[in-house]
Amino acid sequence: MTAASAGFERTSFQGPRGPVEAVQVRPSSAGRSPAPAVLILHEGLGLTAHTIELARRFAQEGYLAFAPNLYSHDAAHRGFTEAEVARGVGLLRAPDRDEVIARLPAEEQERLKKVFAWFGSRDTSTYLPDARAAVAHLAGRSDVRPGGIAAVGFSLGGGLVGQLAVAGVELAAGAVFYGQAPALEQVKSVRFPLQVHYAEEDPAITPRAPEVEAAFRGAGRELIAFVYPGTRHGFFNETRPAYHAEAAQLSWRRTRDFFAERTGSAAQPRPQAGAAEGARAAG
């Protein structure tokens, strides 16, 4: 086993609708004592190489990193390559989508149309139950530190972290990257602190930031929010056109430090980065 693959394995756990595939990466300290854990909920692109690399990064920080495949029950998704899904999702809202598609070979056009159709008709009803089952799975493991589970999600997965929060799920902390806000009337049910990362140019998500903060404040729940200037939805993912290196690095440091503080991980928390480092606090 190489150093790059050390601790990595494909596994599964039981969800309400059957087995759910997952990837986990154990920290180098695995076996010596229970470790804190991070549940990673992927964006709409699926459980990609980017998500797996993020799991490795968390494992290097001392966590058992656990990333379920939210499309485990989706037979249609299995018919596409990672590249096809990435291209299709990237073109969904592109203003020149039709022009781009028209320039492609007929076979590629047909494949993209199938990706569009799949994305618009996905059965999303399994995602939250499977995410809750993943939390329960981690909480029941002897190699996971009690009270030391955090969750991070991106876009689709970010919205799920918010839904876990208002569902009253017990976690040490949650980080949301450009995810849809949960039902605000349920914020009083939140039982763990949230850190939220917004892209400035994200009209479907960011305009709701003030009302989300107001709801948390009114309910006496903890929420730390950041807006990253000059960024678009998906800025954390280095494989997407919206990738913004400075914002990705800063939001990673903030998430890492937030989790280290709240889970009591072996990684030593560093001071929270300020506005001078390239982002502004939203509120």
Side-chain angles (χ1 to χ4, degrees):
M1 179 179 291
T2 66
S5 63
F8 172 85
E9 62 182 300
R10 296 189 181 276
T11 184
S12 65
F13 63 97
Q14 192 65 27
R17 294 262 292 269
V20 180
E21 301 161 354
V23 160
Q24 71 176 19
V25 187
R26 299 176 186 273
S28 59
S29 61
R32 294 199 288 271
S33 61
V38 172
L39 173 66
I40 304 170
L41 298 176
H42 62 70
E43 58 193 326
L45 300 180
L47 183 55
T48 62
H50 162 78
T51 309
I52 293 172
E53 179 56 31
L54 180 59
R56 295 188 194 280
R57 291 171 71 182
F58 273 114
Q60 290 171 358
E61 296 289 330
Y63 298 93
L64 187 150
F66 194 82
N69 180 2
L70 299 171
Y71 296 149
S72 290
H73 312 299
D74 190 330
H77 179 263
R78 296 180 186 277
F80 303 121
T81 67
E82 183 175 317
E84 286 174 334
V85 173
R87 191 174 196 182
V89 172
L91 282 171
L92 273 173
R93 297 176 180 84
D96 60 345
R97 183 180 83 176
D98 292 341
E99 296 175 19
V100 173
I101 293 174
R103 292 194 294 267
L104 297 174
E107 184 177 346
E108 290 186 40
Q109 291 187 35
E110 289 304 310
R111 293 291 292 172
L112 277 176
K113 290 176 183 177
K114 289 180 180 179
V115 172
F116 297 153
W118 161 76
F119 196 81
S121 62
R122 294 171 299 169
D123 177 7
T124 63
S125 66
T126 61
Y127 303 164
L128 180 59
D130 283 348
R132 295 190 68 157
V135 174
H137 167 76
L138 290 171
R141 292 176 54 154
S142 61
D143 58 349
V144 172
R145 180 184 301 164
I149 304 171
V152 60
F154 302 83
S155 191
L156 165 69
L160 289 172
V161 172
Q163 290 182 55
L164 288 173
V166 298
V169 173
E170 297 279 2
L171 290 170
V176 175
F177 281 74
Y178 33 84
Q180 288 284 358
L184 300 185
E185 64 272 15
Q186 298 177 345
V187 165
K188 59 182 179 296
S189 300
V190 173
R191 297 188 180 181
F192 58 86
L194 282 172
Q195 187 182 80
V196 184
H197 303 274
Y198 293 104
E200 183 179 48
E201 301 168 18
D202 193 353
I205 304 293
T206 305
R208 292 196 65 197
E211 64 177 317
V212 173
E213 293 177 74
F216 272 76
R217 193 162 50 244
R221 299 298 187 267
E222 184 178 1
L223 181 142
I224 305 165
F226 300 101
V227 178
Y228 296 82
T231 61
R232 295 180 291 129
H233 193 96
F235 70 79
F236 189 83
N237 188 334
E238 73 284 352
T239 71
R240 301 186 67 171
Y243 177 63
H244 190 292
E246 183 181 3
Q249 292 164 10
L250 177 55
S251 58
W252 161 252
R253 292 199 301 271
R254 285 173 162 158
T255 302
R256 178 195 62 196
D257 296 350
F258 180 57
F259 284 0
E261 177 186 355
R262 301 311 171 100
T263 65
S265 76
Q268 292 300 311
R270 300 164 178 80
Q272 285 284 336
E277 289 193 61
R280 70 171 184 269

